Amino acid sequence: MAAYQSYLETHQDRFLAELLEFLRIPSISALPERAGDVARAGEWVAQRLTAAGVENVTVMPTEGHPVVYGDWLHAPGRPTIMIYGHFDVQPVDPVELWTNPPFEPTIVGDRVYARGASDDKGNMLAPILAVEALLQSEGGAPVNLKFCFEGQEEIGSPHIPDFMPPHRDRFACDLAVSADGGQFSETEPILLMSLRGICGIQIDVQGASSDLHSGLHGGRIQNPIHALTQILGTLRRADGRIAVEGFYDDVVELSSEERAAIALVPFDGDHYLEELGLEEAFGEPGYTNRERGWVRPTLEMNGIWGGFQEEGIKTVLPNSAHAKITCRLVAEQDPARIIALLEEHITQHAPPGVEVNVNPLSILGRPYSIAADHWGNRAAAAVLKEMYGREPYQTRSGGSIPITGVFREQLGADTISFGFGIEDENFHAPDEFFRLASFRKSQIAYCKLLAELGKSGPPA
Ligand SMILES: [Zn+2]
């Protein structure tokens, strides 16, 4: 047995106790009154990194919640790997649906239940423990290491794009490894090949200076709700394809190999519909259900409001109407360009008699993708294959992790996903849990991954 492995085994009880301590901090980034707890979680991470033997540990302020940095740079000639994760968590409502209080971690069988257990505290602690084992038992790590742990992932990392540019040198690395992710199941590993980007707008349609009597003014002036729905009706064709001029211009179509790899990932369409309580799926023609959710761009209306919505009747001609829309984007769509296209389309289709304003929402992220044969993915695949006894599926995520785009743009570093959550672990929902088997497995996996990355390294 390798020295790191027996170190991990010897210290497993302490590691579990530390995980529970970490989980007790209610670091909910979305709630202003929890900002102190988010900061406390950051301090906890900083102390834990230092205790592991990581150097230059610093809690770095941002305009919002802090970032924790640390490094260990004593492997000359080897690549520099930056491990990423987040110590903030989602809110807990509805708290009455939790079997146990969300910040009193409870072990049931081989699972620990608590908010953040899987997303992302259990997952982000594992590489720190792995590095401790390497530094304490092997005399060093096989690569140079940097750590970047943030406290604002669950609110979309709004301050990271401004935080990173002045700290480019400190965070410079050859590859980022995200410990915020998962595997397909307990027996089936994955490589995550892409994440979608995101952008959004609010449409505000303004009519008269106040609400009016529909009997006196109806039919004589424009109705903002009619105007808004008329605009919204032009955004998508009846078959599901987005009708905004230029929307698909920059989409890179997948190769037949990439589509074949997606088709290999198990998907039970009937089960999917049954879970949702639906009879049929719907989406852009020419693509499978998986492809629509993973590698095609979308435009979804998130909310629409205006006029009278109480019980009974009010014969009102409302003076304004509003809608919120977000788009999920794929390579090489640029969120800023998509917003410009939406503005142009909406302006062109705005009916007369009202003022139509389009305002970008504060959420913005570029789509992210990485090749299966990228040196980072090759190393991850080798470790996963060894540990699971099978090739990883090549999966994709319909969601967005904006920081991956920041790492690529600001640091020139690609990001591979190497986490051990499993989709049934209720992240963002009541009774979130993490498998303790995954907690132990991920520590070993990280030791092996760093060894593999040390061997391969980036292409010269
Ligand atoms: Zn997460």
Side-chain angles (χ1 to χ4, degrees):
M1 189 189 287
Y4 73 80
Q5 252 168 317
S6 53
Y7 185 93
L8 290 174
E9 277 185 19
T10 308
H11 295 275
Q12 215 45 235
D13 288 350
R14 172 167 63 89
F15 292 168
L16 178 57
E18 288 168 348
L19 173 61
L20 301 187
E21 189 181 291
F22 192 19
L23 291 172
R24 282 189 196 102
I25 307 172
S27 48
I28 304 171
S29 51
L31 302 178
E33 66 269 28
R34 292 290 182 200
D37 293 306
V38 178
R40 196 151 61 86
E43 292 292 344
W44 190 94
V45 171
Q47 281 168 19
R48 192 62 195 79
L49 282 169
T50 305
V54 174
E55 300 168 354
N56 301 309
V57 175
T58 321
V59 178
M60 303 174 73
T62 75
E63 291 296 311
H65 303 295
V67 167
V68 178
Y69 172 85
D71 61 36
W72 184 92
L73 304 171
H74 304 290
R78 301 286 180 83
T80 299
I81 306 299
M82 181 169 75
I83 293 169
Y84 164 81
H86 63 90
F87 51 84
D88 63 319
V89 300
Q90 281 277 317
V92 294
D93 346 290
V95 72
E96 63 277 9
L97 294 187
W98 286 76
T99 308
N100 300 292
F103 296 109
E104 289 173 26
T106 309
I107 294 174
V108 181
D110 197 47
R111 296 172 169 195
V112 55
Y113 286 83
R115 169 57 84 230
S118 179
D119 182 16
D120 179 34
K121 286 175 173 171
N123 269 306
M124 67 150 274
L125 182 56
I128 302 177
L129 305 177
V131 167
E132 173 177 308
L134 293 171
L135 299 185
Q136 307 303 328
S137 73
E138 306 275 351
V143 290
N144 297 294
L145 288 162
K146 292 185 178 182
F147 294 87
C148 173
F149 293 121
E150 64 160 320
Q152 47 184 279
E153 194 276 340
E154 299 294 5
I155 51 171
S157 307
H159 303 291
I160 299 298
D162 286 340
F163 164 81
M164 198 50 89
H167 301 296
R168 252 180 231 161
D169 290 345
R170 191 186 298 213
F171 287 93
C173 59
D174 295 305
L175 178 75
V177 178
S178 170
D180 185 19
Q183 302 297 334
F184 195 78
S185 74
E186 286 174 273
T187 54
E188 298 158 294
I190 63 159
L191 292 181
L192 182 64
M193 309 292 298
S194 63
L195 293 150
R196 291 194 288 189
I198 190 165
C199 66
I201 55 164
Q202 176 167 326
I203 308 177
D204 298 300
V205 180
Q206 184 64 45
S209 49
S210 66
D211 282 355
L212 297 167
H213 188 298
S214 69
L216 293 179
H217 298 281
R220 305 171 70 186
I221 60 169
Q222 181 65 273
N223 180 315
I225 297 182
H226 281 288
L228 176 62
T229 54
Q230 193 178 321
I231 293 167
L232 296 179
T234 66
L235 294 175
R236 197 184 77 177
R237 287 190 340 203
D239 65 0
R241 197 166 159 89
I242 307 309
V244 176
E245 293 83 354
F247 186 78
Y248 293 100
D249 282 0
D250 298 323
V251 172
V252 180
E253 293 291 332
L254 289 197
S255 67
S256 49
E257 292 79 19
E258 288 170 315
R259 295 186 76 174
I262 291 173
L264 284 179
V265 184
F267 178 68
D268 181 343
D270 292 336
H271 178 74
Y272 172 73
L273 290 174
E274 200 182 315
E275 292 267 287
L276 300 178
L278 286 171
E279 295 289 319
E280 59 183 325
F282 174 80
E284 189 187 3
Y287 298 92
T288 66
N289 190 309
R290 273 275 201 235
E291 289 170 342
R292 290 169 182 164
W294 282 358
V295 294
R296 296 300 297 168
T298 62
L299 179 153
E300 291 293 329
M301 298 186 196
N302 306 123
I304 172 168
W305 69 102
F308 180 66
Q309 304 184 27
E310 310 303 315
E311 209 180 315
I313 297 165
K314 185 180 181 191
T315 52
V316 63
L317 198 167
N319 76 330
S320 71
H322 315 267
K324 281 189 201 281
I325 295 172
T326 49
C327 297
R328 298 285 176 167
L329 310 177
V330 303
E332 295 287 338
Q333 286 176 303
D334 172 9
R337 170 147 199 265
I338 294 296
I339 286 177
L341 290 172
L342 283 167
E343 279 171 346
E344 202 178 306
H345 176 103
I346 290 162
T347 310
Q348 271 176 17
H349 290 84
V354 283
E355 191 187 319
V356 177
N357 283 301
V358 178
N359 296 301
L361 298 175
S362 65
I363 189 159
L364 205 70
R366 282 179 178 277
Y368 186 83
S369 60
I370 183 168
D373 64 354
H374 185 282
W375 63 279
N377 269 340
R378 284 204 310 267
V383 172
L384 294 170
K385 194 177 170 192
E386 183 200 332
M387 295 191 68
Y388 289 79
R390 59 180 296 160
E391 291 287 347
Y393 297 128
Q394 292 179 20
T395 67
R396 291 159 188 274
S397 168
S400 309
I401 303 184
I403 204 166
T404 52
V406 177
F407 290 159
R408 182 171 281 170
E409 251 170 61
Q410 297 295 329
L411 309 177
D414 294 325
T415 304
I416 63 165
S417 177
F418 201 71
F420 291 83
I422 296 174
E423 208 172 277
D424 65 2
E425 288 174 346
N426 299 329
F427 11 93
H428 299 205
D431 285 347
E432 178 176 351
F433 70 92
F434 192 41
R435 289 171 169 81
L436 295 176
S438 302
F439 184 53
R440 295 184 293 268
K441 187 192 256 176
S442 55
Q443 297 162 29
I444 295 172
Y446 262 92
C447 291
K448 290 180 188 284
L449 177 70
L450 298 179
E452 200 63 34
L453 290 170
K455 268 189 264 168
S456 47

